[in-house]
């Protein structure tokens, strides 16, 4: 998952020199980069669900595109934020990056950094990253608050939640995780095999449910696969403990560009995944204090 960087209330981030040791194509347009970070800059102290920043200005190949976008926007291009796919106990820090689309009339600017990270053949390359930031983490007293976490994600929104589940299992936290992932097709699902392996290894602690919006016959993929978008009825089914659960929602939301366009055309901005899911959760009377969200777009 990526976005333009936003300030965090966490401790001061540290700049590291990273070497890309491996690149794994997760889907046709999404890759996981494994990073070896120079520990000389400080300890790799992060929590599952956090992100790191990468400044596009460090890449000579992007110099002209940076200059063009800065002229168009009237401001300097900020660093991009990428959620960590790794959990703190794992050997490498990992980010999963989706090559964002440019859709004329829908998206205002072409993506800058994600195409290079996904398709740039960067294995062996060195780059600077800044981390670690973000409040999208489990609270320290999570097991005192609940015994069930529902993860509701869309597309690359799966990244931080995947890390959170791995970390909770590794630490032996007494939590049940229901992982509800929305994607267009079976081939678009991130970490499909890894999530299935977690479910097989801990069936009493992990349940994975997929919902697919562009498959004609979802039944061929198994009983854990549903058709359509995340709907209120499905959330009702997966949340028998609405007064005590915690819900972590990560996915695309209405962008500032969407809002500006809506104002110009005097039409309401079309709700995206985040707004739709939050609407369903509120209809189910899930207290807002029990919902954690991370949006991108």
């Amino acid at each position: 998952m990526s976005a333009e960087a936003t300030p965090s209330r966490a401790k001061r981030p540290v700049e590291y020199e990273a070497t890309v040791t491996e690149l794994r194509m997760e889907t046709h347009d999404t890759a996981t980069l494994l990073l070896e970070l120079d520990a000389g800059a400080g300890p790799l102290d992060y929590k599952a669900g956090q992100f790191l920043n990468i400044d596009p200005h460090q890449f000579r190949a992007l110099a002209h595109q940076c200059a063009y976008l800065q002229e168009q926007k009237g401001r300097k291009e900020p660093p991009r934020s990428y959620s960590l796919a790794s959990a703190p106990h794992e050997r490498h820090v990992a980010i999963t990056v989706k090559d964002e689309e440019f859709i004329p009339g829908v998206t205002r600017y072409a993506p800058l950094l994600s195409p290079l990270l996904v398709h740039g053949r960067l294995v062996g390359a060195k780059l600077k990253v800044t981390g670690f930031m973000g409040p999208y983490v489990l609270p320290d007293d999570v097991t005192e608050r609940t015994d069930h976490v529902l993860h509701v994600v869309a597309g690359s929104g799966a990244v931080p939640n995947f890390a959170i589940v791995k970390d909770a299992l590794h630490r032996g936290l007494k939590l049940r995780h229901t992982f509800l992932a929305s994607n267009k097709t079976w081939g678009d699902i991130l970490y499909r095999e890894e999530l299935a392996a977690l479910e097989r290894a801990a069936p009493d602690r992990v349940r994975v449910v997929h919902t697919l919006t562009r498959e004609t016959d979802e039944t061929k993929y198994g009983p854990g696969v549903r058709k359509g978008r995340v709907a209120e009825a499905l959330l009702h089914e997966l949340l028998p403990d609405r007064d005590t659960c915690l819900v972590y929602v990560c996915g695309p939301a209405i962008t500032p560009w969407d809002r500006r366009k809506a104002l110009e055309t005097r039409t309401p901005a079309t709700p995206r995944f985040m707004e739709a899911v939050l609407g369903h959760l509120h209809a189910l009377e899930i207290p807002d204090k029990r919902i954690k969200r991370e949006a991108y777009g």
Side-chain angles (χ1 to χ4, degrees):
M1 189 197 73
S2 73
E4 292 187 0
T6 53
S8 168
R9 292 170 292 178
K11 68 182 80 172
R12 180 180 293 274
V14 176
E15 184 178 273
Y16 301 90
E17 182 176 89
T19 302
V20 182
T21 61
E22 186 179 345
L23 185 145
R24 302 172 184 163
M25 290 303 298
E26 302 283 355
T27 70
H28 71 285
D29 63 356
T30 306
T32 294
L33 286 75
L34 274 64
L35 307 175
E36 184 80 46
L37 270 57
D38 175 16
L44 303 184
D45 182 16
Y46 71 91
K47 292 184 176 182
Q50 292 191 303
F51 61 87
L52 56 73
N53 286 344
I54 302 178
D55 190 337
H57 294 89
Q58 66 184 289
F59 300 99
R60 184 175 296 179
L62 299 180
H64 297 309
Q65 196 174 353
C66 277
Y68 171 75
L69 287 173
Q70 287 172 176
E71 181 182 41
Q72 293 295 307
K73 297 178 183 180
R75 60 177 173 85
K76 183 178 179 180
E77 280 298 312
R80 270 40 175 188
S81 300
Y82 295 97
S83 294
L84 297 167
S86 55
H89 68 277
E90 294 182 305
R91 169 71 179 81
H92 289 97
V93 169
I95 57 173
T96 299
V97 182
K98 180 180 175 65
D99 182 6
E100 301 157 272
E101 290 184 286
F102 174 70
I103 305 172
V106 178
T107 47
R108 188 170 186 181
Y109 300 110
L112 176 60
L113 184 52
S114 62
L116 177 66
L117 294 177
V118 175
H119 304 294
R121 299 182 180 181
L122 295 180
V123 174
K126 294 186 182 298
L127 57 148
K128 292 179 180 178
V129 303
T130 304
F132 299 95
M133 297 155 282
Y136 191 74
V137 300
L138 292 178
D140 292 337
D141 61 347
V142 62
T143 55
E144 297 172 23
R145 298 190 188 190
T146 190
D147 65 352
H148 181 209
V149 180
L150 172 64
H151 304 263
V152 189
V153 304
S156 58
V159 179
N161 292 65
F162 177 55
I164 287 170
V165 173
K166 290 189 294 181
D167 176 61
L169 292 173
H170 174 76
R171 290 195 283 149
L173 298 181
K174 293 182 179 179
L175 294 172
R176 292 177 295 111
H177 299 271
T178 303
F179 200 99
L180 173 58
S182 175
N183 288 278
K184 294 176 182 176
T185 69
W186 185 248
D188 289 319
I189 299 172
L190 288 182
Y191 319 125
R192 193 177 66 212
E193 297 302 325
E194 293 94 330
L195 286 167
L198 292 176
E199 187 176 30
R200 286 193 301 270
D204 58 329
R205 298 166 68 191
V206 179
R207 179 186 179 188
V208 180
V209 179
H210 297 291
T211 182
L212 304 175
T213 61
R214 296 188 185 175
E215 291 284 0
T216 55
D217 182 13
E218 74 287 352
T219 59
K220 64 184 177 181
Y221 300 117
V225 182
R226 312 294 179 88
K227 187 174 184 177
R229 301 181 185 278
V230 173
E232 184 179 329
L234 180 55
L235 293 171
H236 181 276
E237 173 191 335
L238 299 177
L239 283 171
D241 46 3
R242 281 178 259 166
D243 294 330
T244 58
C245 67
L246 290 180
V247 185
Y248 278 62
V249 188
C250 188
I254 296 173
T255 66
W257 161 238
D258 294 329
R259 297 187 190 282
R260 285 196 296 271
K261 192 172 182 181
L263 285 172
E264 291 168 4
T265 59
R266 297 185 179 181
T267 57
T270 303
R272 302 186 72 191
F273 172 82
M274 180 63 67
E275 292 79 23
V277 170
L278 292 176
H280 296 326
L281 292 172
H282 291 149
L284 292 171
E285 299 183 344
I286 306 296
D288 207 54
K289 66 182 180 181
R290 293 197 164 271
I291 303 171
K292 195 85 167 177
R293 67 201 73 179
E294 180 129 299
Y296 65 89

